[in-house]
Amino acid sequence: MDNNNNNNISFSKDAENSTTVDWRGRPSNPKYHGGSRAAAFVLGLQTFEIMAIAAVGNNLITYLMNEMHFSLPDSANIVTNFVGTMFLITLLGGFLSDSFLGTFSTIVIFALIEISGFMLLSVQAHFPQLKPLPCNKELICIPAKGFEAFIFYIALFMVALGSGCVKPNMISHGAHQYNPQSKKLSTYFNATYFVFSLGALIGLTIIVWVQTHFGMDVGFAVSAVAMVMGFISFITGTLYYNNKPPQPTIFVPIVQVYVAAILKRNKNFPSTNNNKLRFLEKACIQQEGNNTEESSWRLCSIQQVEQAKILLSVIPIFASTIISNTVLAQLQTFSVQQGSVMDTHITKSFRIPSASLQAIPFVLLILIVPLYDTLFVPFARKITGRKSGISPLQRIGVGLFLVTFSMVSAAIMEKKRRDAALNMNQTLSIFWIAPQFIIFGMSEMFTAVGLFEFLYTQSLKGMQTFLTSITYCSFSFGFYTSSLLVSLVNKITSSKGGDGVGGWLHDNNINKDKLDLFYWLLAALSFLNFLNYLFWSKWYSNNNTSLSTISQEVHPQSTKSVDDNIP
C-alpha cells in the first residue's frame, strides 16, 4: 500500500480529541476558551448538584419510613434502586452527548428535568393529601399506594433521569477544557472530588438539618434551589467553554468489528507482539485475491478495532469496582439506621441527624484532597515520571484495598453497639461508627477519581463521555447488587440452617438483626474483589496495545481508511 494510504490510516488520539468549538460553533481560541477559568463554572455546577442529590439520597430512607410508611427492607431497596437507576441512566447521558447533543446541551436539558423532579418531591411532601394517612393510635401504618405512590415514583424518576444524564457530562465537559497532555487534567480530576466532598458535606449537614427540623418539603425545596444555583453557574461560563461537537455513533462501527472478526476467525497473520484481544484485529485483514471492496461488516478500520478493544478491555477494571459501591450502598442505608438508634448529641442541646454522619469523611477529604494534589502528586511525579504521580490503575488498587477495612470497622462497631444496647441498656455515641465512613471516604478518593481518569484517558473520538458514564454504572451495579444481596442474605439466613429465624436483616428493629454478620460478609467479598482486581490490572498493563502496533501488523493487508466505516 502506498504512503498516502498509510497517512490516511494513521490515527492520533490526541489530535482527534482536541477538536473544539466555541458557543457559536466556530473553532475555539486557546487564549479565550477552555482552561481553569472555564472549568471553574463546571465545578460550580458539580458542587451544587451533589449538594442537592446527597441530601435527598442519604435522608430518603427516613422519609420513606416515617412519612411514606414503607418497611425498613423496602425503604432500603427503594433507596438503592433509586441510586442504581440514576447511575445506570448515565449511559443514556453519555450516548446522547457523544452522538447527538454534545455535553453542553445535554447538561442544560437534563438539569432542568432534575430541578422539576426536586420541585415535585417538595410539593408532595408539603400536601398531606398527596401522602398516606398518619399512623393510627395502635401505630398501624398504611404504606403509600395508588396515586400517592405514582406521584412519588414519577418525581423520583425525574430526579434520577436528570441527575443521571448530567453527571457524566459535567465530568467530561470540565475535562474538555484542558489539553489531553496537560498536567492540569489530573489536577482537574482531583478538583472534581474536592468539590464533590464540599457539596456532599453541605448537603449532608445543612440541607439534612433543614429536612430534619423544618420538614422534608422544605428540604426538597432547598435541593431544588441548590440545583438552580448550579445551573446558573454553568450557564454563566457559556462564552468561555471549549465544546466538543457530537460525533457519529460508535456502536454500529464497534458491532461491525465483532461481526468481521467472527467471520474471519480462521484467518492468521504473523505477530511478534502479545496484544490484548488479538482476535479482533482479524477484522482488519483484507480478503486475499478479492479485488472488489469488502463490506463494512467484513473489513474494518484500525480506529474501529481500537474502539472495540477499549470497550472490552476496560470491562474487568470497571467490574472490579462494583463491590466497593455495594459497600457504599450500606453506608447510605443500614449505617444511617445504625446512627438513628445511637446517641446523636454533640452538645446537650444539639443533635446531629444520623444521615449527616456521612459528612464526617468529607470534612477530612476537603483537607486531604488539596494536600494530595499539591504535595503527594509532585513528589510521586519525580519518582514515576507520570503526570498524575501514580497511574490511575494503581490509584484504583489502593482504594479497593482500603474498602475492606471500612467493613471490618463497621462489623466490629455494630457488634459493640448491639451488645451495649441489649446487654447493658446503653446507647453508644454516634461517633463510634464514624471510622467506617472515614475509611470509606479515603477509599473512594482513590477509587472513584482513579476510575474517572483511567476511562477518560482511554477514550477515543466519539466515546469520551460514554466511557466516563461507565464509571457511574459501577455505582449503579453496586447498588443493585446491594438490593440483591440483602434479599439473598435474608432468604438464606432465614432457612432452617440460618442464624436467626427471620434472617439477618429481616426485622425493622436493628437490635434484633445481625447487621454485623452482614458487614463481615461484605468485608470478605471486598478482599476477594481486591485480589480479583490485581489480576485484571496486571493483565491490562501487560497486554496493552496501541493503534501504531495494530497498524504495523495488520495495516499492510488492509485498504480501509480510518473513517471509511464511520457512518
Side-chain angles (χ1 to χ4, degrees):
M1 193 171 285
D2 59 29
N3 291 333
N4 290 334
N5 284 335
N6 286 342
N7 293 333
N8 286 336
I9 293 181
S10 63
F11 174 75
S12 169
K13 180 189 299 186
D14 297 334
E16 290 291 350
N17 284 340
S18 62
T19 303
T20 57
V21 297
D22 65 8
W23 66 284
R24 292 180 177 178
R26 302 173 302 186
S28 58
N29 187 333
K31 294 182 179 180
Y32 303 106
H33 302 107
S36 298
R37 177 181 62 178
F41 294 105
V42 187
L43 292 173
L45 171 61
Q46 292 180 41
T47 305
F48 285 109
E49 202 278 337
I50 190 60
M51 186 189 304
I53 203 71
V56 172
N58 289 278
N59 209 25
L60 185 60
I61 189 170
T62 304
Y63 176 71
L64 290 170
M65 294 181 64
N66 295 344
E67 298 191 40
M68 304 302 283
H69 306 321
F70 291 111
S71 66
L72 173 57
D74 288 343
S75 298
N77 283 341
I78 289 174
V79 172
T80 53
N81 289 338
F82 160 67
V83 178
T85 300
M86 176 177 64
F87 288 134
L88 189 61
I89 287 174
T90 58
L91 288 176
L92 173 64
F95 171 72
L96 291 176
S97 170
D98 283 336
S99 301
F100 297 102
L101 300 174
T103 52
F104 182 86
S105 297
T106 304
I107 290 173
V108 169
I109 293 170
F110 289 96
L112 293 175
I113 293 176
E114 185 176 357
I115 292 170
S116 301
F118 283 128
M119 294 176 64
L120 185 56
L121 282 173
S122 179
V123 169
Q124 182 179 42
H126 181 75
F127 292 100
Q129 55 267 40
L130 298 178
K131 298 185 294 184
L133 296 173
C135 302
N136 59 25
K137 295 180 179 179
E138 289 75 27
L139 297 181
I140 298 176
C141 308
I142 300 176
K145 57 183 179 180
F147 183 70
E148 303 157 355
F150 176 77
I151 291 294
F152 172 75
Y153 287 123
I154 286 293
L156 207 61
F157 178 75
M158 290 176 67
V159 172
L161 176 63
S163 182
C165 288
V166 165
K167 286 184 184 300
N169 285 283
M170 289 190 301
I171 302 294
S172 289
H173 194 73
H176 291 346
Q177 309 312 311
Y178 299 95
N179 185 296
Q181 297 301 315
S182 172
K183 294 179 180 179
K184 293 183 179 180
L185 182 61
S186 180
T187 299
Y188 164 74
F189 283 111
N190 287 323
T192 61
Y193 200 74
F194 175 81
V195 300
F196 169 83
S197 300
L198 179 63
L201 174 63
I202 297 173
L204 294 171
T205 53
I206 297 176
I207 299 183
V208 167
W209 184 84
V210 169
Q211 292 173 345
T212 304
H213 290 81
F214 296 96
M216 291 297 293
D217 54 344
V218 178
F220 288 140
V222 171
S223 289
V225 171
M227 191 60 201
V228 169
M229 294 177 68
F231 182 77
I232 292 173
S233 172
F234 179 74
I235 293 296
T236 304
T238 300
L239 298 180
Y240 305 106
Y241 291 142
N242 282 329
N243 298 299
K244 289 200 172 182
Q247 303 294 327
T249 179
I250 63 172
F251 293 103
V252 172
I254 287 177
V255 172
Q256 288 174 341
V257 173
Y258 300 142
V259 172
I262 292 174
L263 292 175
K264 296 180 178 179
R265 60 189 178 277
N266 296 323
K267 294 288 183 181
N268 295 312
F269 54 86
S271 174
T272 58
N273 294 285
N274 185 25
N275 301 331
K276 63 178 182 280
L277 304 174
R278 282 187 47 77
F279 70 92
L280 292 179
E281 297 173 13
K282 296 182 180 182
C284 289
I285 301 177
Q286 185 178 11
Q287 187 72 34
E288 295 181 5
N290 186 359
N291 295 326
T292 61
E293 184 176 353
E294 291 188 74
S295 165
S296 297
W297 293 91
R298 295 187 61 89
L299 182 62
C300 301
S301 71
I302 297 169
Q303 180 188 356
Q304 286 177 265
V305 173
E306 181 71 356
Q307 288 175 323
K309 280 192 171 188
I310 286 175
L311 282 183
L312 279 185
S313 61
V314 301
I315 287 176
I317 304 296
F318 147 78
S320 297
T321 64
I322 292 175
I323 291 297
S324 173
N325 290 303
T326 301
V327 171
L328 174 62
Q330 313 318 313
L331 297 180
Q332 294 191 356
T333 52
F334 290 113
S335 291
V336 173
Q337 289 307 109
Q338 274 183 291
S340 67
V341 296
M342 302 179 78
D343 182 5
T344 59
H345 282 95
I346 294 181
T347 66
K348 289 184 178 180
S349 59
F350 183 78
R351 292 174 175 263
I352 178 174
S354 58
S356 293
L357 188 66
Q358 296 175 75
I360 293 175
F362 295 119
V363 175
L364 182 65
L365 289 170
I366 286 174
L367 301 175
I368 291 178
V369 172
L371 293 177
Y372 177 90
D373 194 62
T374 57
L375 297 180
F376 175 77
V377 171
F379 173 76
R381 187 182 292 147
K382 293 179 181 179
I383 299 175
T384 64
R386 295 181 177 273
K387 297 187 296 292
S388 56
I390 59 176
S391 70
L393 288 178
Q394 291 171 332
R395 189 166 183 169
I396 294 169
V398 172
L400 295 182
F401 178 73
L402 289 175
V403 75
T404 300
F405 297 98
S406 173
M407 285 295 93
V408 170
S409 173
I412 294 173
M413 289 300 102
E414 172 58 15
K415 181 69 164 58
K416 180 180 179 66
R417 183 208 63 78
R418 193 177 68 242
D419 288 347
L422 297 179
N423 301 333
M424 295 176 285
N425 197 29
Q426 293 181 354
T427 302
L428 296 182
S429 169
I430 194 172
F431 290 104
W432 277 99
I433 62 173
Q436 65 206 55
F437 290 96
I438 293 175
I439 297 172
F440 185 83
M442 294 290 293
S443 166
E444 188 73 356
M445 183 189 74
F446 284 94
T447 304
V449 178
L451 189 59
F452 273 126
E453 185 173 357
F454 170 72
L455 290 176
Y456 185 86
T457 54
Q458 298 306 301
S459 303
L460 292 175
K461 178 181 178 181
M463 58 189 299
Q464 281 185 314
T465 306
F466 181 80
L467 272 190
T468 302
S469 70
I470 291 179
T471 302
Y472 288 107
C473 283
S474 174
F475 291 95
S476 175
F477 291 143
F479 276 73
Y480 283 133
T481 300
S482 172
S483 297
L484 177 62
L485 195 59
V486 168
S487 301
L488 187 62
V489 165
N490 269 338
K491 183 176 181 180
I492 293 175
T493 57
S494 62
S495 62
K496 293 182 179 179
D499 184 2
V501 176
W504 290 355
L505 307 171
H506 178 75
D507 206 293
N508 281 352
N509 186 342
I510 197 172
N511 289 330
K512 295 181 181 179
D513 285 335
K514 302 291 184 181
L515 185 58
D516 56 324
L517 298 181
F518 183 62
Y519 283 153
W520 279 118
L521 173 63
L522 284 172
L525 291 175
S526 297
F527 183 71
L528 293 175
N529 179 67
F530 169 69
L531 298 179
N532 170 70
Y533 173 77
L534 291 181
F535 171 82
W536 287 112
S537 61
K538 184 177 181 180
W539 171 84
Y540 188 91
S541 299
N542 291 343
N543 294 278
N544 201 10
T545 189
S546 66
L547 283 169
S548 59
T549 303
I550 301 174
S551 179
Q552 293 169 5
E553 296 184 1
V554 183
H555 161 259
Q557 303 181 61
S558 174
T559 59
K560 284 284 182 174
S561 172
V562 170
D563 296 320
D564 282 348
N565 292 345
I566 306 299

